Amino acid sequence: MTHSTTGPGAQPGAYGPFAHLTAPNAVLYRQAMRAFVTAKERFAVHLRPEDVYAALPAEARPDGVDGVAKALDSLVGWGNLRADPDTARVTAVEDFYRKRFIYQLTQAGEAAEEALGVYDEALGRRGALQAVALHDIVTQLRALLVLAAEDEPDPAKAHLALDVLASRFGALAENARAFMGSLQRTIDLHDVEEEVFLAYKDRLIQYLERFIQDLITLGGRIARLILELEEGGLIEGLLRAAAARESADAAPEESVRAERDALERWAGRWAGLASWFISGDGRESQARLLRGRALGAIPQLLAVVRSLNERRAGRSDRSADFRTLARWFAEAPDDDARHRLWRTAFGLYPARHLTVDADTLATRAARPVPAGTPWAGAEPLRISPQLRRTGSYERRGKPRKVEDRADRRRQLAEVAAKQRAEIAAARARLVTDGITRLSGLGELDPVAFGLFLHLLGDALATWRPGMRHTVATSNDGSMEIRLSALADPATAEVRTPGGVFRGPDHLIEIIDLTGGEGEP
């Protein structure tokens, strides 16, 4: 294995510790640096070349220890490592004249490895939609409500609860962003094989549907808890207590500014949390945008599955057709065959009214006509009287039979009529005769319950601070829901074949804006 002879000092300057990434044998350099990082985690400071050689994976090891020693010397030249004379193993005078060093990480080399670790982690991160984080956020908000109800909230408990809340919310937001990015790459089929995608898509769609349901139910609950904390300025006292505890260790002359800066940070975190779950002036909440993105991803996934099935069924694919045509051109025996293939594939025939056929080509080959010959002096061409009179040749033979698609159209019409009837029945089931309680809806079938969840999610997403009443319209403009909060903390239950839906009771009114025109 060869090593770079221009490695040390090849990239002088502040970014020298990153030079090994573009040098020859970069894999060996990276593995050697990882060995030093692992050794430091185990509280081992110095390593000898033999130790590094033993720590390297079998596929990354050079032929001998000397190869590792050369790589370590290169890393010393770049500033990643520091070399000290190894006097512990000197047993004779000759050993003083031998090149023996022990190596350890420099501050710059350790910082470079930390940066590369963050880079690798960010590239490999796929993220996840964390329904568990939503439950944790609800738990911490309830804990804050309990603390705010006390006469003198404990600063330590308030700081701990806010810190856990900020940590869980930050993880939720970051993982949601990473997940939606990786989901889009999956939809685009940039980083997944077809077989893997087809086996993965069912679990992915179920995962999205489950998270969307949790986001609708828990998102509304989180929004209500945030509003309760903001009413009467309850959260301000908790934020001040957390800021005061966080700045308690600041120097006396810096205590006022440190507390002010800490309060600004906590106020910003709380504002970010509130805007994530509650829509503002002309701005939709991030939770609602995430729900829309997740809902939109499901039909996109199904469209990808449909396109893959079409490919497997032998449907037309332009790129595959061109690759096949290119292979035919490569396998053609001579230029004449290639010309015939070209005319057949692309239809670039001579002008139809000239009727150039094999006999015409043979005559031209026997008596070539110069390209500069005027058309009046050239041999005349015979044109069909039918072409001159009508502009087209009369086609002979039986016309092609028109395919009868009546059965398919009838099937599609029946499916569409069935879906319209189910949606109309669901709308009729949900429409209330005036204002009623949410607990009075009774049992709902799956179609009606799904429509109810969409309406309820749209209403809760429009809930703003200080509101007790909201009105929302479904995406298709067919229904309107009016939701009002109750003073009593009653719990509503809506039964479905799949289970029981529970949540805070509200006054609710659902109106069919179509006037029942879609009912069967």
Side-chain angles (χ1 to χ4, degrees):
M1 179 175 293
T2 59
H3 293 274
S4 172
T5 58
T6 61
Q11 293 187 14
Y15 302 103
F18 293 96
H20 65 286
L21 299 177
T22 57
N25 300 318
V27 175
L28 176 60
Y29 295 135
R30 288 300 309 277
Q31 294 291 346
M33 291 299 296
R34 288 173 185 169
F36 278 92
V37 173
T38 303
K40 185 175 181 180
E41 293 174 353
R42 299 172 181 173
F43 305 102
V45 179
H46 297 87
L47 291 181
R48 295 183 174 87
E50 296 85 356
D51 301 330
V52 178
Y53 182 85
L56 292 177
E59 63 274 8
R61 289 177 183 173
D63 295 336
V65 180
D66 292 339
V68 174
K70 292 180 181 179
L72 298 180
D73 291 338
S74 298
L75 291 170
V76 170
W78 283 314
N80 300 78
L81 301 176
R82 191 184 79 185
D84 298 318
D86 185 7
T87 58
R89 295 185 296 173
V90 175
T91 58
V93 177
E94 292 80 4
D95 292 337
F96 281 101
Y97 297 98
R98 294 181 182 178
K99 186 179 179 181
R100 295 178 180 271
F101 293 100
I102 55 177
Y103 301 87
Q104 72 177 55
L105 281 172
T106 62
Q107 184 178 5
E110 185 176 356
E113 285 304 304
E114 290 180 358
L116 292 173
V118 173
Y119 177 78
D120 293 337
E121 181 181 359
L123 284 184
R125 185 177 187 181
R126 298 188 64 88
L129 297 177
Q130 299 174 313
V132 176
L134 295 173
H135 289 276
D136 293 344
I137 291 174
V138 172
T139 302
Q140 295 304 320
L141 288 174
R142 288 176 175 171
L144 290 175
L145 275 175
V146 174
L147 287 173
E150 299 177 356
D151 295 335
E152 293 183 2
D154 188 346
K157 293 181 179 179
H159 181 265
L160 180 61
L162 286 170
D163 188 61
V164 174
L165 176 64
S167 176
R168 296 302 289 151
F169 169 67
L172 171 67
E174 179 63 23
N175 278 279
R177 182 197 61 79
F179 179 83
M180 296 311 298
S182 63
L183 176 62
Q184 188 60 47
R185 290 193 296 272
T186 301
I187 293 173
D188 294 339
L189 293 180
H190 288 170
D191 58 353
V192 66
E193 298 293 335
E194 292 185 8
E195 298 294 339
V196 177
F197 177 80
L198 292 175
Y200 175 62
K201 58 95 179 173
D202 289 332
R203 298 193 302 272
L204 182 59
I205 291 176
Q206 294 176 2
Y207 177 61
L208 287 173
E209 291 177 342
R210 185 172 64 253
F211 178 79
I212 291 169
Q213 292 180 358
D214 290 337
L215 186 60
I216 291 174
T217 55
L218 296 178
R221 192 178 307 172
I222 291 172
R224 289 197 60 181
L225 291 171
I226 292 174
L227 293 176
E228 291 182 22
L229 284 167
E230 291 182 345
E231 290 177 355
L234 298 179
I235 190 61
E236 295 180 3
L238 298 177
L239 295 178
R240 291 184 182 277
R245 185 174 187 272
E246 191 172 288
S247 58
D249 294 332
E253 65 275 8
E254 297 289 335
S255 59
V256 176
R257 186 176 63 85
E259 185 174 353
R260 184 177 64 251
D261 294 343
L263 180 59
E264 290 180 358
R265 287 195 300 272
W266 280 113
R269 294 170 184 172
W270 179 262
L273 173 66
S275 63
W276 215 86
F277 289 98
I278 302 176
S279 300
D281 298 333
R283 171 192 54 79
E284 290 187 341
S285 64
Q286 292 296 319
R288 186 169 186 178
L289 293 175
L290 176 62
R291 188 185 68 184
R293 287 285 306 277
L295 284 172
I298 294 177
Q300 292 182 23
L301 287 168
L302 296 178
V304 173
V305 174
R306 185 166 57 251
S307 65
L308 292 177
N309 290 335
E310 290 178 354
R311 291 183 188 178
R312 290 185 169 187
R315 297 287 297 274
S316 177
D317 181 75
R318 182 173 298 179
S319 59
D321 292 343
F322 277 118
R323 287 193 296 269
T324 302
L325 184 60
R327 185 175 69 253
W328 289 350
F329 273 108
E331 295 173 353
D334 49 35
D335 287 342
D336 292 338
R338 296 185 184 96
H339 285 300
R340 288 193 300 271
L341 178 59
W342 174 273
R343 289 193 297 269
T344 303
F346 298 101
L348 298 180
Y349 301 101
R352 289 174 297 173
H353 65 278
L354 297 180
T355 62
V356 176
D357 51 16
D359 295 337
T360 306
L361 293 176
T363 303
R364 288 186 178 181
R367 298 193 302 274
V369 179
T373 303
W375 65 268
E379 183 179 354
L381 295 174
R382 298 182 180 275
I383 300 176
S384 169
Q386 178 71 16
L387 174 64
R388 183 175 182 180
R389 183 172 61 256
T390 63
S392 62
Y393 286 110
E394 181 181 357
R395 296 186 177 274
R396 298 180 179 180
K398 184 179 180 180
R400 295 181 59 183
K401 183 179 179 181
V402 179
E403 184 177 354
D404 186 7
R405 293 188 173 88
D407 293 339
R408 297 182 182 178
R409 285 196 296 268
R410 186 177 62 257
Q411 293 175 359
L412 292 176
E414 291 175 355
V415 172
K418 181 179 179 182
Q419 292 176 349
R420 285 196 301 269
E422 291 177 349
I423 295 174
R427 285 205 303 264
R429 171 65 182 83
L430 290 178
V431 171
T432 60
D433 186 12
I435 300 176
T436 184
R437 280 179 173 259
L438 183 60
S439 55
L441 288 180
E443 185 172 354
L444 299 177
D445 60 83
V447 179
F449 182 65
L451 182 58
F452 166 72
L453 284 182
H454 284 292
L455 288 172
L456 184 61
D458 292 336
L460 294 177
T462 60
W463 206 282
R464 293 179 176 84
M467 292 178 58
R468 307 290 297 177
H469 176 76
T470 186
V471 178
T473 306
S474 61
N475 292 333
D476 58 358
S478 63
M479 302 195 75
E480 181 179 275
I481 179 173
R482 300 175 182 178
L483 198 65
S484 300
L486 292 174
D488 58 315
T491 300
E493 291 187 356
V494 178
R495 298 188 176 276
T496 69
V500 180
F501 174 80
R502 295 183 178 89
D505 203 0
H506 287 72
L507 293 178
I508 188 172
E509 183 179 8
I510 301 177
I511 303 172
D512 188 357
L513 300 179
T514 63
E517 61 186 22
E519 296 182 7

